[in-house]
Amino acid sequence: MDGKQVLNSQYLKSLRREYGLSQEALADACERKCLRISIATIKRAETGKAVNYRTTKNLAAFYGIEVNDLIMLPDSEEKESTTCQERLGVVALFKASDVEVYSYALARIESYQPLLIEKYGTYIVAAFGRYSSAIQDENNFSQSKQTLSCMFDLFNEIKSRSSILSPFCCLVNVTTILCQESQFFLDKKQLTALIETSHDMPYNTFIVSESLRALHLQQFHFTALNDSVKPDWWQLDVMNSLPSGPYFIGRDVELEQVKRQIAESTLTNKSKVIGIWGEQGIGKTCFLHQLSETIQQDGLITGWIDIEKNESNVIRELKQGSADIVFIDNVHLLSEQGMQILHEAVVEIADRVLTVIVTATVADKARVQRHIQVDASLILPALTASECRLLVSQYSGSHLPEEMAEKIVSKCQGNPLYLSLLLSSHDLATVPDTLQLLFEEQLAVLSQEDRNVLKILAIANKPLRLEDIRALLSEKIDISTLYQTHLVIPYGVDQLTVAHDLIADALSQSLASSEKLYLHRQLAEYFEKTNIPNNLTELQWLADQFLAAGLDFKAAYYLGRCGNLQLAEGQYSDAEEAIKAAEKLLGNLRLKGFDTGTVSQAQCVDLELDLMFYLANIYKVRYGWFSPSLIELYNRIIEKCDISQSEHRKINALFGVWTVALTRLDIDKAIYYADKALELAELLDDDAGRVLSLAALANTSFWAGDAQRTYEYSSRALECCDDELRESSLELAGHDPRMLAWCFKLLSASQLGLENCESMMLDMVDESRKGGHVFSIAIALQGAAWYYWHEQNPEKSLQYARELVDISREYGFPFYIGMGSIIEGWAAYQLDPSPRHIETLVTGYQRWLSSSGFCLTQSMYSLLLSQVLVDDSQYDLAVKVIEQSVRDASETGAQCYVPDMLFLMGKIKNNDEYISQALAHEACTPLLKRQIEMYEH
């Protein structure tokens, strides 16, 4: 990469307009996010002129998209990419753990005929087109309900029949839907982000994104979520009785023009195709709806074709429909194949007296007309200022100050959609005047030496020490003349930087690609040798320099180190982004055939394994061990280890596969993989592998109900840990390797009735706090809260459980939020018997553990819940919970807490037979025997 690219100008403009921003407002918004982009640079990018990589990167960061999404493809790639098209759609995510609720919701959502529907564990994800009105005849004229209304109806129906044990939630958002050969699918990254967002949302609520709220302010009433939840999401409460909107203003002339065209078609008995063109958000769809209402009053029948659902059905719907006028909204969303199908359909119905009205963006007008003969055209212009003022008053009544209203009118550029978005915006500050620096004359009179200094500073994009500049240029530097031009300014002690981004941009633009490549490489290699990077900022800068120099392997290496450092510091989202970017660079290198520089395939495989393990550690923390992404990743790692004969790394991969088997409660497989990993670790004399394998065996034995083996395995694991191993594990795995083994040693010691358990617990928590690594602290806090539940000490248990929930929410650990919540619900109820604490317990399990530890923790959850239900006198429900959990345990082999549940069942039913079964059970612990003895006495 030479650091200079031409961006997709049309896409850039559409992104900016979707955000409702002028070029000046975009520059200001970027500045507030510390993304330095001048107005001049934005203009260059949007007019198809080349910009530097930093600008591309900053624009992508602002819009939250990939850098490559902005770069204009070469003609050959552009042609290939047309086979997969993008379109905006409404995506609904429904989450329910209850099987009956899930099945009912799935059937109802399928009845809405979405473009696609996918199932992910407890999630249902459905995508709908924005324009989903099927063709209608005179006997069936009622327009299909909008997606929001349909999903809200479903939400209210399920809410009325749900119980405390079956919480659920629904999220609806506008996002990109991909289409290839009439098949629809969602981008995996966007899908993962949506599922991750659902983790932060309260249960039994209907949540919509800010973009949807802005478009439907008139139809629904929204309530802001509390401060702890993401601010860009709103709770939908009720449907309003206000006019449906958006308000229709200022199109009388255009309506009359189209009506005349329709009348002419009727009089001449000839079919006609009318094209209505307009920018995004100008009101094309609203215009069609108003036109439909108007011509229905004249006795004409109108119909709609949903081109997004199935392009191949266009001919059938046109031929079989009985409408006089057919609307095909946003026809530009059709693929090339779909355009051809529509052309054939129009030709086939030429003998009918039928008016077909299509809409498309102005940019797509020529493309549409290449395929379809359009008999009459109409371009919808921007609204006038007076029309915009009227629209503002319709939306907001008299509540908006006049000064604010005028700002909105001036900024919306006559676009109704931008206007509605601005009305919902929280930031309408006056856009500052652009600072224009006139420095071309100064550049022209500079000496070559001074120009070289400026080039280095511009390419570096950060302050540099004079000592480093002299070393890079291999010459003495007198910067007094340069200071007088005000093109550079001093920074800190003996450092220099360019005075303004515009100077850096202009210098960068003026350099030839080859010179920029050389300078980026010179900077990267110099600082790699002389200043060993030891913090995130330096690593990121070095990665950027190598990337701009076209050295993909080095860039991937330093991005991987960035991700690794972020992982160790608990910055999991940033770590994932950095590591995936590094993986992408390695993929590019493979495509080049490893013929650049001295990089070998073996080096790439080695780095790729590093990145995959980093990513696996992130997935475990962020998405839980039951994540499909994690399962797929570990399979790739094992395959890569076998190919490269990386035996030491295979131990880690086997540990990963073990986690998957355990979370699925396949106890036999979990023991098999842990034993295999331990066997390999012993063969290689690998202490780190021993710790992992023994901790895995301890964990598995605990859930299988074997406290003695749990204690033995965890004790052996801790004996293998030394300071060096702890440090390396923190660097490579992102957590203290002792904590998991320590946690299960504590819990098994408690079950075995051993002495000094509390002292062991306090040592574990203290050690985790000394280390300061948040994931390790979370494991220790979990162990402490869990231990005090064993000991039936609600005060202490609540203290640690709440701290666990707080730290896990802050750093995004769904599994530990769930574990903390279920223990918190139990402990809080013991101290304050309120139903809200039962809800905390239930939603903690259903919401947070459903995607990360649903099966694994079922026995623990069932015991906690049934204990609380008994205290709440809900005996029948407690019996139901226990019976189901005992049945499940008999199938999976997860016998942990089964004797405890049998004991509780005996107390509920006052039946000694259950208590005898508990005592005779192979998983009955000395702790439980002691509790039964106290009960009987």
Side-chain angles (χ1 to χ4, degrees):
M1 181 178 293
D2 64 5
K4 188 174 183 180
Q5 305 90 21
V6 175
L7 306 187
N8 188 328
S9 58
Q10 292 299 322
Y11 183 39
L12 269 179
K13 290 176 185 176
S14 66
L15 282 172
R16 177 170 56 77
R17 287 167 180 168
E18 283 175 20
Y19 276 66
L21 298 171
S22 64
Q23 291 176 334
E24 292 84 356
L26 173 59
D28 189 42
C30 288
E31 185 69 29
R32 290 197 295 273
K33 289 189 174 185
C34 299
L35 301 169
R36 296 180 295 176
I37 308 173
S38 67
I39 297 173
T41 303
I42 292 170
K43 288 179 179 178
R44 282 199 298 272
E46 292 191 356
T47 53
K49 297 178 182 177
V51 295
N52 61 33
Y53 178 74
R54 180 176 58 78
T55 297
T56 309
K57 183 180 175 183
N58 286 349
L59 283 168
F62 179 82
Y63 290 122
I65 59 178
E66 297 286 340
V67 169
N68 286 343
D69 292 341
L70 287 177
I71 298 173
M72 179 68 79
L73 296 172
D75 291 342
S76 59
E77 294 182 50
E78 196 71 56
K79 289 175 183 176
E80 290 176 7
S81 69
T82 58
T83 59
C84 182
Q85 296 195 342
E86 296 182 356
R87 57 190 63 180
L88 282 178
V90 179
V91 175
L93 179 145
F94 189 90
K95 181 180 180 182
S97 302
D98 184 86
V99 176
E100 292 183 4
V101 170
Y102 184 94
S103 299
Y104 180 78
L106 178 61
R108 283 291 302 278
I109 293 172
E110 286 176 340
S111 72
Y112 300 150
Q113 298 181 332
L115 298 177
L116 67 89
I117 187 164
E118 297 180 5
K119 294 170 283 186
Y120 300 90
T122 58
Y123 300 97
I124 303 168
V125 180
F128 302 84
R130 290 184 298 171
Y131 316 100
S132 52
S133 300
I135 194 162
Q136 302 152 347
D137 57 34
E138 56 189 343
N139 297 318
N140 180 25
F141 182 71
S142 61
Q143 185 180 347
S144 299
K145 287 185 177 180
Q146 293 179 348
T147 303
L148 268 182
S149 301
C150 292
M151 294 302 297
F152 193 55
D153 288 345
L154 172 62
F155 167 81
N156 285 320
E157 188 174 340
I158 291 178
K159 189 174 182 180
S160 65
R161 60 168 69 184
S162 64
S163 71
I164 191 173
L165 299 183
S166 57
F168 65 98
C169 72
C170 185
L171 272 76
V172 187
N173 187 23
V174 173
T175 189
T176 301
I177 304 173
L178 305 176
C179 177
Q180 189 169 27
E181 297 179 356
S182 300
Q183 296 296 315
F184 297 92
F185 53 97
L186 295 173
D187 177 74
K188 282 189 177 181
K189 185 175 181 180
Q190 291 185 336
L191 179 60
T192 300
L194 189 63
I195 291 175
E196 187 180 351
T197 298
S198 73
H199 291 160
D200 293 331
M201 301 304 173
Y203 254 77
N204 299 331
T205 51
F206 190 95
I207 308 296
V208 303
S209 62
E210 169 65 25
S211 55
L212 273 176
R213 184 192 78 95
L215 293 174
H216 297 288
L217 283 168
Q218 304 304 315
Q219 297 98 328
F220 301 95
H221 179 266
F222 301 92
T223 301
L225 297 172
N226 59 55
D227 292 338
S228 65
V229 183
K230 296 182 180 181
D232 295 332
W233 294 83
W234 296 75
Q235 180 174 331
L236 192 155
D237 299 320
V238 294
M239 292 183 65
N240 289 334
S241 58
L242 297 172
S244 58
Y247 296 101
F248 189 79
I249 290 173
R251 301 295 187 200
D252 294 338
V253 173
E254 289 82 2
L255 277 175
E256 288 302 318
Q257 290 176 359
V258 177
K259 285 172 67 178
R260 283 198 298 271
Q261 292 291 339
I262 294 171
E264 182 181 320
S265 175
T266 304
L267 288 172
T268 58
N269 283 329
K270 289 183 179 180
S271 61
K272 178 176 287 191
V273 178
I274 302 173
I276 297 176
W277 325 106
E279 298 294 340
Q280 289 185 345
I282 206 67
K284 299 183 295 295
T285 304
C286 185
F287 181 83
L288 289 192
H289 284 300
Q290 186 66 26
L291 177 62
S292 177
E293 290 180 15
T294 303
I295 58 183
Q296 285 165 35
Q297 296 171 6
D298 298 331
L300 295 174
I301 300 172
T302 62
W304 296 71
I305 292 180
D306 182 3
I307 60 172
E308 292 183 284
K309 288 194 173 177
N310 193 339
E311 295 174 344
S312 62
N313 285 337
V314 173
I315 294 178
R316 179 179 57 79
E317 293 186 3
L318 274 177
K319 291 177 69 175
Q320 295 179 359
S322 59
D324 301 308
I325 296 130
V326 172
F327 300 113
I328 307 180
D329 196 14
N330 285 271
V331 74
H332 59 279
L333 296 178
L334 282 171
S335 65
E336 295 298 308
Q337 180 185 3
M339 285 285 191
Q340 185 61 34
I341 291 172
L342 180 57
H343 166 72
E344 293 170 5
V346 171
V347 171
E348 286 203 27
I349 54 102
D351 57 338
R352 285 182 53 195
V353 181
L354 176 66
T355 302
V356 179
I357 301 179
V358 301
T359 71
T361 62
V362 174
D364 288 290
K365 177 184 174 184
R367 175 173 168 261
V368 173
Q369 289 181 318
R370 280 201 309 270
H371 293 83
I372 306 166
Q373 182 178 341
V374 177
D375 302 299
S377 288
L378 173 69
I379 295 179
L380 291 182
L383 298 179
T384 65
S386 59
E387 289 168 343
C388 287
R389 291 187 189 96
L390 182 57
L391 200 54
V392 168
S393 66
Q394 293 282 1
Y395 270 116
S396 60
S398 58
H399 305 293
L400 198 66
E402 184 177 348
E403 182 181 355
M404 188 70 74
E406 284 302 314
K407 287 181 182 178
I408 291 172
V409 169
S410 65
K411 286 188 177 186
C412 76
Q413 303 172 16
N415 189 301
L417 177 60
Y418 304 160
L419 185 144
S420 65
L421 291 173
L422 286 167
L423 280 169
S424 64
S425 172
H426 303 292
D427 183 10
L428 287 172
T430 302
V431 179
D433 292 334
T434 306
L435 177 62
Q436 297 295 337
L437 296 180
L438 303 176
F439 60 91
E440 288 83 354
E441 293 180 6
Q442 290 97 320
L443 282 175
V445 298
L446 284 179
S447 68
Q448 187 59 47
E449 177 187 284
D450 288 341
R451 288 180 66 86
N452 289 340
V453 172
L454 274 177
K455 288 176 186 178
I456 287 286
L457 289 172
I459 291 297
N461 194 29
K462 74 169 187 176
L464 297 179
R465 294 183 307 166
L466 288 173
E467 175 187 342
D468 292 326
I469 297 173
R470 293 187 179 106
L472 283 161
L473 296 176
S474 302
E475 57 189 31
K476 293 183 179 181
I477 301 171
D478 180 8
I479 60 168
S480 57
T481 304
L482 202 53
Y483 269 137
Q484 293 173 8
T485 65
H486 303 292
L487 295 175
V488 298
I489 54 175
Y491 185 93
V493 179
D494 200 28
Q495 286 186 306
L496 206 61
T497 188
V498 177
H500 196 276
D501 278 351
L502 285 174
I503 302 172
D505 285 346
L507 279 166
S508 181
Q509 295 289 342
S510 68
L511 296 176
S513 297
S514 58
E515 187 175 8
K516 280 195 285 189
L517 280 170
Y518 171 77
L519 289 172
H520 281 299
R521 182 167 188 161
Q522 186 185 17
L523 278 164
E525 292 178 345
Y526 171 80
F527 281 100
E528 184 184 34
K529 292 177 183 177
T530 59
N531 297 298
I532 299 174
N534 56 11
N535 62 53
L536 189 58
T537 303
E538 292 176 356
L539 286 169
Q540 182 64 61
W541 180 85
L542 205 53
D544 289 343
Q545 290 298 321
F546 276 119
L547 183 62
L551 300 174
D552 288 354
F553 181 81
K554 283 284 191 178
Y557 171 75
Y558 283 106
L559 278 173
R561 286 190 59 185
C562 285
N564 187 22
L565 186 58
Q566 290 163 328
L567 169 62
E569 293 178 355
Q571 301 171 22
Y572 298 103
S573 295
D574 294 336
E576 182 177 358
E577 183 179 344
I579 292 166
K580 285 189 173 180
E583 284 190 319
K584 194 169 185 177
L585 288 174
L586 285 182
N588 294 339
L589 201 57
R590 281 196 298 272
L591 291 175
K592 296 175 183 177
F594 307 101
D595 59 355
T596 55
T598 59
V599 180
S600 68
Q601 185 169 357
Q603 287 175 296
C604 281
V605 169
D606 195 50
L607 178 55
E608 188 175 13
L609 276 171
D610 280 341
L611 298 175
M612 291 165 78
F613 276 116
Y614 295 156
L615 202 56
N617 288 320
I618 294 169
Y619 284 171
K620 281 190 291 186
V621 174
R622 295 194 72 194
Y623 310 128
W625 287 342
F626 205 57
S627 164
S629 299
L630 183 63
I631 297 168
E632 179 185 345
L633 183 57
Y634 273 125
N635 288 332
R636 286 170 49 208
I637 291 175
I638 288 179
E639 181 182 351
K640 190 72 70 175
C641 286
D642 287 337
I643 293 172
S644 60
Q645 298 181 339
S646 304
E647 298 295 333
H648 286 278
R649 293 182 171 217
K650 192 172 181 178
I651 297 173
N652 292 280
L654 287 168
F655 178 77
V657 178
W658 162 81
T659 64
V660 174
L662 183 64
T663 51
R664 292 184 170 185
L665 274 185
D666 192 335
I667 299 294
D668 291 338
K669 271 192 177 180
I671 292 174
Y672 168 79
Y673 285 122
D675 276 333
K676 201 166 182 63
L678 181 59
E679 180 184 334
L680 191 56
E682 296 289 359
L683 181 67
L684 299 171
D685 194 23
D686 184 340
D687 276 343
R690 287 191 187 98
V691 173
L692 279 179
S693 308
L694 290 166
L697 287 167
N699 198 335
T700 309
S701 299
F702 180 84
W703 293 109
D706 192 336
Q708 186 61 46
R709 281 181 179 272
T710 302
Y711 186 80
E712 292 170 1
Y713 283 132
S714 54
S715 297
R716 286 175 59 192
L718 289 172
E719 289 169 5
C720 294
C721 281
D722 57 23
D723 291 340
E724 184 179 348
L725 179 59
R726 286 198 297 272
E727 290 299 322
S728 64
S729 181
L730 275 171
E731 179 180 350
L732 295 174
H735 63 82
D736 187 331
R738 298 174 300 168
M739 288 304 144
L740 191 61
W742 208 332
C743 176
F744 282 102
K745 181 178 181 179
L746 168 66
L747 296 173
S748 57
S750 170
Q751 289 179 324
L752 294 171
L754 302 182
E755 296 180 355
N756 301 321
C757 286
E758 187 168 30
S759 175
M760 185 192 306
M761 182 275 300
L762 292 172
D763 288 343
M764 175 182 67
V765 174
D766 287 345
E767 278 295 304
S768 73
R769 294 193 198 280
K770 285 179 185 176
H773 186 268
V774 289
F775 189 59
S776 303
I777 294 172
I779 296 174
L781 292 173
Q782 170 197 246
W786 202 336
Y787 162 73
Y788 280 121
W789 168 55
H790 277 185
E791 299 299 321
Q792 296 293 292
N793 185 333
E795 292 90 351
K796 292 282 189 180
S797 188
L798 183 62
Q799 172 190 335
Y800 286 107
R802 283 182 171 165
E803 186 179 355
L804 173 61
V805 170
D806 288 343
I807 195 173
S808 300
R809 283 187 186 280
E810 182 178 354
Y811 290 95
F813 306 152
F815 179 83
Y816 291 107
I817 297 175
M819 291 296 288
S821 296
I822 63 176
I823 299 174
E824 177 189 352
W826 169 83
Y829 188 88
Q830 307 306 310
L831 302 173
D832 172 28
S834 168
R836 74 176 186 275
H837 300 313
I838 303 178
E839 184 177 349
T840 298
L841 197 162
V842 172
T843 56
Y845 176 69
Q846 301 277 15
R847 174 179 170 189
W848 296 104
L849 296 176
S850 61
S851 61
S852 54
F854 199 88
C855 301
L856 180 64
T857 56
Q858 185 185 18
S859 59
M860 178 184 179
Y861 163 72
S862 298
L863 181 57
L864 280 160
L865 177 60
S866 53
Q867 287 175 345
V868 171
L869 291 173
V870 167
D871 293 339
D872 201 48
S873 302
Q874 298 187 52
Y875 303 111
D876 292 341
L877 193 53
V879 168
K880 180 180 177 182
V881 170
I882 292 171
E883 289 176 343
Q884 181 62 51
S885 185
V886 171
R887 280 197 301 271
D888 291 341
S890 66
E891 295 176 3
T892 62
Q895 299 297 314
C896 186
Y897 299 121
V898 168
D900 303 75
M901 286 186 279
L902 291 171
F903 172 45
L904 184 57
M905 182 75 91
K907 291 198 293 184
I908 295 171
K909 294 193 172 185
N910 195 23
N911 188 330
D912 290 342
E913 183 179 346
Y914 285 104
I915 298 176
S916 298
Q917 290 178 21
L919 287 168
H921 198 284
E922 61 182 354
C924 185
T925 63
L927 174 65
L928 179 60
K929 289 176 181 177
R930 187 181 70 198
Q931 292 172 350
I932 293 175
E933 184 179 341
M934 292 175 61
Y935 169 75
E936 289 178 338
H937 289 153

